[in-house]
Amino acid sequence: MTYVVIDNCINCKYTDCVEVCPVDCFYEGENTLVIHPDECIDCGVCEPECPADAIRPDTEPGMESWVEMNRKYSELWPVITQKKDPMPEAEKYDGETGKLEKYFSENPGEGDG
């Protein structure tokens, strides 16, 4: 099992989760985060830390496409291990549906760089 970031992270990008991750398996895109499924040790400490409720175990129904998306972008984007400010309008976008289709950016974030 692994944990994955789902679409509610998009345009919110709270980073509370990255500080508690013991294996540094979060990667930063321009407007979202992803978890590398092969690096995640299934400890679960990140899930309750997410204010947007955007982290799920891959055992939930319908998570297959999220596992693949997290895998793809974790191999392209830089690692992030330190908390940053969320996106400027995070509260506005938190809970909005259809964010993957409307807002997702394939561009990398800054990471810890």
Side-chain angles (χ1 to χ4, degrees):
M1 189 172 99
T2 185
Y3 284 84
V4 293
V5 176
I6 60 171
D7 60 342
N8 204 44
C9 184
I10 299 169
N11 278 0
C12 291
K13 199 165 76 168
Y14 293 103
T15 55
D16 307 63
C17 53
V18 304
E19 281 197 323
V20 298
C21 181
V23 293
D24 301 338
C25 66
F26 281 89
Y27 293 81
E28 184 184 13
E30 181 177 37
N31 68 352
T32 193
L33 301 174
V34 292
I35 295 171
H36 195 302
D38 296 335
E39 295 174 1
C40 177
I41 59 170
D42 185 31
C43 68
V45 296
C46 59
E47 187 179 23
E49 295 298 317
C50 179
D53 193 28
I55 299 174
R56 295 282 193 282
D58 70 346
T59 53
E60 284 190 9
M63 290 295 116
E64 296 82 8
S65 64
W66 290 110
V67 171
E68 290 313 307
M69 180 186 165
N70 277 248
R71 180 183 316 281
K72 176 181 177 177
Y73 291 101
S74 65
E75 293 174 359
L76 298 172
W77 294 345
V79 70
I80 179 171
T81 61
Q82 298 174 13
K83 185 175 177 175
K84 298 178 179 182
D85 291 335
M87 302 282 299
E89 297 186 85
E91 290 182 19
K92 171 185 164 190
Y93 289 103
D94 189 357
E96 183 177 334
T97 59
K99 288 170 43 168
L100 179 64
E101 297 77 18
K102 289 189 255 184
Y103 309 120
F104 177 72
S105 169
E106 292 187 349
N107 296 328
E110 297 175 3
D112 289 336

